[in-house]
């Protein structure tokens, strides 16, 4: 809302500079976008002041204050701020009804939908001139409105001054000399002032003549009854339309106007007649015409809203004591009527303050004009200990530090991605699983990500394009599918070196086992034992991808990206990019279901006693089929050692060799077996017996050959 | 042989030092020392000998020079020995100035670092940290927050809607999520539904708006919203809480200013400004010459919100605030472009500590 200071002074005799007004109103809830010097010619004869004191302040008006979409609204704020009287536009009383041009016809007004239009007033005017004075044109332009013709200018002037939208019809174009406020008929159309033919629906309110719609009520007038140079008699419309109805119509027609934005927030139900009188006064002032009769249809007058304001409640909410006299001055100045009661006041709210609905709204008004700057900072007393934090907070912090300690840097990417990309990361390329955004701003963000990985690949590609050879990144965040809803996951992507390059030359490129190691460290930290099984996924290279399992449930996936997809994300396709993703909710479920190590985590965090008896280590080297998995061999060893005299404490694979001396499809494996008993010192005989059992089982089950 | 003059003293000291510097081993150094200070055939010894054979008029001056040389070299030798440990370089010694083999460390994202710091501050003020879902229903995001359907305030939020509803984490058929949350206030609503006052929580998380990407806007950003509900909590308490936050996060002398504003879920509502810590309020580029920097919005919880979650709006009062985590990170680290947080360029991310 652009407010011209000299216009403001028509209502309140403030002498402050535009800059000061801007700053002080800025602290009363009206953010200032700009302060500009006033253009020439904006001061009519009665508004003389030094040009330097005039100016245009552009305020941002919050949605709850439609009354301040007007000079008058700001005048009221200024009068409260500076404790100055407000000069209202004098309401016309019966005693001073001016001369009326009796020869003018009178429009016949009928309201056929009083719910959508509780009040409709109209006034007749005989046209006598066709130009507006320079000050009116200049004031409108200062307010950001282009001058058009006297009668349109007058409605716009009243709009800016009082905040009440009006419309002007050419009376001759209203068939039957009638105005019917009715709903549109099925299939009815109308061409609005902007030249667009509008298809109306039966929920929309229109202003019609005897034959057809001439305006969309509260939104925009029609072209066929527009005031023109040939117009002899003008009908001013000044009405109150139901906010919800205007809002709906404006939304349906995708047509937002100065009028609709005010009506939909709520205008003053008393304003129609005041605005009409002001328009007639201006008409005669600028010599544009002579006034005729005024028609006012207001079938069920509304009574004003009364709110109880308790003095004690003001102090309780604000934490500040405000003297009663100040409360009365502030609210009185804002146009509210206060009457004393034992615990405070009965407050009658004027109809233009549509935002003041309950006691708290009045407390805000008192606090706002008393000044929030007077609040002394205090601290809320604690009456009980703080609640524990969401357990995910500490878990996610631990995940971040663990992965960062493993050399991966945290990324944050958007929760939405492109559907074409997203499809590739679904298990079966089942696009119906994607959570689609109904109103995406761009096709690049049209679905919620079903996986963290695609976003990470974009980040990886960005860094590769900027000369980064080695990229290791992770992200924790939500991912979404129709079947599983929102789930939190951690994803990682890794390409280039496995560790920082060093002059001693120990560099190595990242491989599957680096990623596996990082995930294992993470799961170990979270105390969920996992195992890995080969799996297939459309985005992972066959033979180098695995499902991460906790017990029988899949909690994640890891592997080498398909080069084509790496290429599509904009990274070189010859890059080996390893990715992994863990579903943190599946992981939590696994932990809760008791898959977690018996001796650690979950309910049982009891420490094991340190062993009292020494351990014995035996190494075993065998040649087995290459197809045999380490997990299978481990299983065979564990089964064989069960019940053996020397208990097996751990199994470690410490060497794997293929090549000279080992048959083509075979592999030489070295396994370190550690035996230890909690009850006694093991003898050589015990250990040998256990060792032999293991060896025999490997020979028997897998045809292993000892080296 | 001409008699050594004063310049010769300095020359000898200098050459002693040079030789000592070049000594590779302790043995080399001892040999240097012996050449200058040894009983026989050393520089000092030969000067001493010269005294006896010098003319009477030269004896005194020569004696002084010889003594000066002796003392200077002895002092330097003592100093050398004192630091011999550092100077010694045994054969096969390593070059300790070569780069170390550091374990590779990644970094946490700056938004995480700022969020952790904010969580720490509010935790110490007795706030619990609470998280919640990113996909929401309109009741938790709007209706419960005094924004019923058709309320003009819903236009203020450019909401992203889902094409088809998705089941919430309860997996109940009636728990259907239809939109991406536009603020983390929805977490506060969920928390109040599940807990009776007193309440003191902060709710951090990602939020989504139908916004274009530019220098200051992204369609996704992170927020931290706070809520305190109890007996007699006031707007002054909110000012105190935010002042404590500002003083720890930005400057020990920070002041907080409330500018009245409008949010449907708070009444009174205010924008929160912090006095500029760079210019102490005098006006600079960072604060756009105003002396104040806006960091968020706040207010007293609207009674309609308490009514929606079943709290006694007459008995309890409370405050709420919302702070953009990117906004805090931008101010703390002088980041010029918000998009840097989501581009994830390692050259940017690696400027932040582990
Ligand atoms: Zn500054």
């Amino acid at each position: 809302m652009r407010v011209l200071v000299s216009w403001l002074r028509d209502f309140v005799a403030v002498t402050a500079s535009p800059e000061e007004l801007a700053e002080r109103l800025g602290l009363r809830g009206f953010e200032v976008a700009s302060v500009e010097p006033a253009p020439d010619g904006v001061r009519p004869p009665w508004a003389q002041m030094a040009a330097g004191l005039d100016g245009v302040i552009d305020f941002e008006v919050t949605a709850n204050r439609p009354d301040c979409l007007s000079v008058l609204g700001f005048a009221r704020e200024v009068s409260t701020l500076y404790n100055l009287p407000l000069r209202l536009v004098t309401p016309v009383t019966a005693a001073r009804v001016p001369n009326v041009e009796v020869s003018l016809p009178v429009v016949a007004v009928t309201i056929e939908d009083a719910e959508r239009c509780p009040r409709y007033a109209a006034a007749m005017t005989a046209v006598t001139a066709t130009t507006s004075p320079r000050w009116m044109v200049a004031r409108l332009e200062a307010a950001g409105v282009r001058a058009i013709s006297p009668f349109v200018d007058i409605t716009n002037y009243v709009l800016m001054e009082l905040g009440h939208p009006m419309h002007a019809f050419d009376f001759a174009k209203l068939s039957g000399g009638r105005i019917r406020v009715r709903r549109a008929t099925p299939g009815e159309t109308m061409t609005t002032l902007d030249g667009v033919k509008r298809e109306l629906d039966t929920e929309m309110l229109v202003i019609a003549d005897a034959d057809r719609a001439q305006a969309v009520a509260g939104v925009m007038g029609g072209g066929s009854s527009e005031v023109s140079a040939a117009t002899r008699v003008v009908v001013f419309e000044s009405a109150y339309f139901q906010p919800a109805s205007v809002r709906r119509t404006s939304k349906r027609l995708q047509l937002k106007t100065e009028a609709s934005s005010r009506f939909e927030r709520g205008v003053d139900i008393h304003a129609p007649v005041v605005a009409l009188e002001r328009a007639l006064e201006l008409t005669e002032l600028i010599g544009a015409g002579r006034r005729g009769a005024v028609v006012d249809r207001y079938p069920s007058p509304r009574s004003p809203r009364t709110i109880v304001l308790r003095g004690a409640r003001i102090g309780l909410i604000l934490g500040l004591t405000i003297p009663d006299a100040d409360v009365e001055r502030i609210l009185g100045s804002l146009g509210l009527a206060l009457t004393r009661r034992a615990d405070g006041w009965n407050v009658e709210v004027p109809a233009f303050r549509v935002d003041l609905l309950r006691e708290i709204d009045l407390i805000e008004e008192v606090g706002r004009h008393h000044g929030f700057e007077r609040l002394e900072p205090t601290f809320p007393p604690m009456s009980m200990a703080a609640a524990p934090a969401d357990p995910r907070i500490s878990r996610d912090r631990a995940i971040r530090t663990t992965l960062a300690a493993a050399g991966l840097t945290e990324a944050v990417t958007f929760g939405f991605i492109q559907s074409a990309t997203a499809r590739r990361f679904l298990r079966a390329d089942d696009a119906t699983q994607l959570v689609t955004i109904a109103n995406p701003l761009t096709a690049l963000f049209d679905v919620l990500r079903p996986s963290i990985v695609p976003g990470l690949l974009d980040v990886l590609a960005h860094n590769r394009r900027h000369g980064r050879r080695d990229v290791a990144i992770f992200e924790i965040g939500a991912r979404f599918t129709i079947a599983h809803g929102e789930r939190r996951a951690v994803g990682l992507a890794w390409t280039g070196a496995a560790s920082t390059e060093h002059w001693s030359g120990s560099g190595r490129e990242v491989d599957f086992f680096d990623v596996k190691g990082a995930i294992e460290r993470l799961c170990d930290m979270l105390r969920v034992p996992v195992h890995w099984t080969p799996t297939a996924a459309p985005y992972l290279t066959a033979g180098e991808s695995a499902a991460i399992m906790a017990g029988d449930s899949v909690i994640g996936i890891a592997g080498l990206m398909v080069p084509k997809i790496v290429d599509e994300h904009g990274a070189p396709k010859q890059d080996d990019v390893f990715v992994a993703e863990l579903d943190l909710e599946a992981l939590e479920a696994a932990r809760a279901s008791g898959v977690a190590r018996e001796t650690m985590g979950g309910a049982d965090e009891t420490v094991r006693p340190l062993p009292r008896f020494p351990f014995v280590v035996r190494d075993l080297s065998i040649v087995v089929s290459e197809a045999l998995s380490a997990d299978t061999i481990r299983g065979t060893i564990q089964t064989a050692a069960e019940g053996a005299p020397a208990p097996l404490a751990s199994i470690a694979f410490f060497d794997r060799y293929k090549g000279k001396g080992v048959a083509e499809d075979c592999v030489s494996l070295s396994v370190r077996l550690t035996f230890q008993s909690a009850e006694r010192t093991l003898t050589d005989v015990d250990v040998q017996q256990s060792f032999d059992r293991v060896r025999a089982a490997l020979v028997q089950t897998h045809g292993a050959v000892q080296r | 042989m001409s008699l050594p003059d004063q310049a010769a003293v300095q020359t000898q000291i200098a050459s002693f030092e040079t030789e000592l510097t070049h000594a590779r081993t302790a043995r080399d150094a001892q040999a240097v020392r012996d050449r200058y200070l040894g009983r026989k055939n050393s520089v000092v010894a030969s000067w001493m000998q010269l005294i006896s054979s010098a003319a009477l008029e030269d004896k005194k001056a020569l004696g002084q020079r010889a003594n000066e040389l002796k003392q200077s070299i002895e002092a330097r030798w003592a100093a050398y020995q004192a630091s011999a440990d550092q100077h010694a370089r045994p054969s096969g010694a390593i070059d300790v100035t070569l780069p170390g083999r550091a374990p590779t460390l990644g970094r946490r994202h700056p938004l995480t670092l700022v969020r952790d710091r904010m969580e720490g501050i509010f935790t110490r003020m007795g706030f619990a940290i609470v998280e919640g879902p990113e996909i929401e229903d309109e009741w938790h995001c709007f209706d419960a927050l005094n924004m019923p359907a058709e309320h003009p305030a819903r236009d203020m939020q450019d909401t992203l809607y889902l094409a088809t509803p998705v089941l919430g984490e309860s997996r109940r058929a009636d728990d259907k999520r239809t939109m991406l949350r536009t603020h983390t206030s929805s977490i506060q609503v969920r928390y109040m539904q599940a807990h009776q006052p007193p309440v003191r929580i902060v709710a951090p998380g990602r939020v989504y708006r139908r916004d274009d990407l530019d220098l200051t806007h992204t369609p996704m950003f992170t927020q931290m919203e706070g809520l305190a509900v109890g007996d007699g909590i006031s707007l002054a308490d909110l000012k105190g809480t935010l002042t404590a936050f500002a003083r720890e996060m930005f400057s020990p002398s920070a002041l907080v200013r409330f500018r009245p504003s409008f949010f449907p879920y708070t009444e009174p509502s205010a924008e929160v400004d912090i006095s500029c810590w760079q210019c102490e309020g005098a006006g600079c580029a960072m604060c756009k010459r105003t002396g104040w920097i806006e960091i968020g919005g706040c207010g007293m919880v609207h009674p309609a919100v308490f009514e929606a979650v079943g709290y006694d709006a007459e008995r309890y009062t409370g405050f709420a605030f919302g702070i953009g985590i990117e906004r805090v990170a931008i101010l703390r680290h002088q980041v010029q472009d918000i998009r840097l947080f989501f581009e994830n360029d390692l050259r940017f991310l690696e400027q932040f500590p582990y």
Side-chain angles (χ1 to χ4, degrees), chain B residues 59-170:
Chain B
K59 272 190 199 298
K60 194 179 171 203
L62 202 56
Q64 279 171 352
R65 281 181 210 131
N67 263 325
E68 190 188 335
L69 181 69
K70 184 165 182 265
Q71 282 163 14
S72 297
I73 290 182
E74 274 172 352
R76 279 162 177 74
W77 175 244
Y80 176 83
Q81 280 188 309
S83 63
D85 283 347
Q86 289 133 50
H87 285 272
R89 188 169 166 144
S91 61
I94 59 164
D95 177 359
V96 296
T97 65
L98 277 169
R101 195 181 290 112
T104 311
L105 272 189
R107 313 294 171 118
R108 284 175 300 151
H109 197 277
L111 294 176
T112 297
L113 296 172
V114 168
R115 178 182 149 169
D116 277 3
R117 200 182 160 97
M118 291 170 69
E119 286 177 355
I121 295 171
F122 286 113
T123 299
R124 264 176 287 111
M125 287 195 260
F127 287 80
I129 312 163
V130 180
E131 295 193 334
E134 292 178 17
I135 48 174
E136 263 298 355
D137 52 56
E138 294 189 82
W139 192 86
H140 285 92
C141 221
F142 293 141
D143 298 70
L145 291 161
N146 198 27
M147 286 184 274
E150 294 302 311
H151 191 287
R154 282 201 188 186
D155 281 354
M156 291 162 60
Q157 318 261 355
D158 291 311
T159 310
L160 287 163
Y161 289 95
L162 307 183
T164 45
V166 176
L167 284 189
E169 59 279 359
S170 74

Side-chain angles (χ1 to χ4, degrees), chain A residues 292-328:
Chain A
V294 173
V295 179
D296 179 19
R297 298 277 177 268
Y298 188 19
S300 343
R302 294 183 179 178
S303 44
R305 187 184 303 121
T306 301
I307 301 170
V308 174
L309 172 61
R310 292 163 297 173
R313 197 80 185 164
I314 301 175
L316 180 72
I317 297 286
L318 300 178
L320 182 69
T321 311
I322 302 178
D324 286 358
D326 289 350
V327 173
E328 288 168 6

Side-chain angles (χ1 to χ4, degrees), chain A residues 217-229:
Chain A
V219 180
M220 192 178 267
S224 57
S225 55
E226 192 180 358
V227 173
S228 70

Side-chain angles (χ1 to χ4, degrees), chain A residues 419-684:
Chain A
S419 51
T421 306
R423 293 178 58 140
R424 305 192 173 287
F425 292 87
L426 291 166
R427 279 245 146 205
D429 195 16
D430 176 8
T432 62
Q433 282 305 312
L434 289 177
V435 179
T436 309
I437 296 172
N439 57 336
L441 201 58
T442 141
L444 292 173
F445 302 142
D446 63 349
V447 293
L448 296 183
R449 59 181 177 189
S451 158
I452 309 286
V453 172
L456 291 177
L457 290 178
D458 288 340
V459 172
L460 184 140
H462 168 91
N463 283 288
R464 292 288 287 117
R465 282 198 303 275
H466 288 82
R468 221 15 124 96
R469 191 184 160 280
D470 311 323
V471 183
I473 46 174
F474 74 96
E475 179 176 7
I476 301 178
R479 56 179 192 172
F480 310 82
T481 56
I482 297 283
H484 300 108
E486 176 177 343
R487 313 268 289 185
R488 194 171 297 186
V490 56
L492 61 88
W494 198 338
T495 191
S499 61
T500 317
E501 197 171 34
H502 192 253
W503 52 266
S504 60
S506 53
R508 179 174 58 71
E509 293 295 285
V510 65
D511 66 20
F512 179 86
F513 297 100
D514 290 303
V515 171
K516 179 171 177 178
I519 295 287
E520 283 176 327
R521 174 177 289 183
L522 191 63
C523 293
D524 187 49
M525 182 274 295
L526 295 168
R527 302 182 159 185
V528 175
V530 290
H531 60 276
W532 301 59
T533 62
T535 194
Y539 57 99
L540 295 178
T541 307
E544 245 182 279
S545 54
I548 307 164
M549 314 283 295
D552 293 333
S553 46
V554 177
I555 63 162
I557 192 164
L560 175 63
M561 282 300 305
V562 168
K564 185 166 169 287
I565 299 179
V566 171
D567 183 48
E568 280 165 5
H569 280 266
K573 63 169 173 284
Q574 63 273 19
D575 279 9
D576 279 347
V577 178
F578 291 89
V579 297
E581 192 166 21
L582 272 179
D583 184 320
L584 293 173
E585 267 139 82
L587 191 134
E588 286 301 337
R591 178 148 79 162
S593 74
V595 171
R597 273 173 214 167
E598 282 169 21
T599 48
M600 289 197 297
D604 184 3
E605 297 198 352
T606 313
V607 165
R608 282 175 296 189
L610 298 184
R612 290 168 58 207
F613 303 100
F615 59 83
V616 179
V617 172
R618 286 290 178 86
D619 290 351
L620 173 64
S621 283
I622 49 170
V623 174
V624 289
S625 159
E626 196 184 3
L628 203 59
S629 79
D631 267 2
T632 309
I633 295 169
R634 188 193 304 273
T636 305
I637 295 173
Q638 263 161 353
T639 311
E642 261 166 41
L648 185 59
S650 76
I651 305 165
F653 291 90
F654 67 94
D655 190 43
R656 190 174 194 275
Y657 172 75
K658 244 184 91 58
K660 208 172 159 204
V662 177
E664 179 91 318
D665 52 355
C666 284
V667 66
S668 161
L669 279 180
S670 298
V671 189
R672 179 157 298 155
L673 305 174
T674 305
F675 298 95
Q676 191 168 32
S677 163
E679 282 110 33
R680 62 195 173 89
T681 302
L682 297 175
T683 64
D684 280 352

Side-chain angles (χ1 to χ4, degrees), chain B residues 9 21 79 84 91 100 108 119 142 182 196 229 233 235 247 259-260 302 321 327 344:
Chain B
V9 176
T21 324
S91 61
R108 284 175 300 151
E119 286 177 355
F142 293 141
T182 52
Q196 279 302 307
V229 184
I233 290 182
L235 190 64
R247 294 196 168 167
R259 269 181 301 114
H302 198 290
F321 58 84
R327 175 89 185 127
N344 298 290

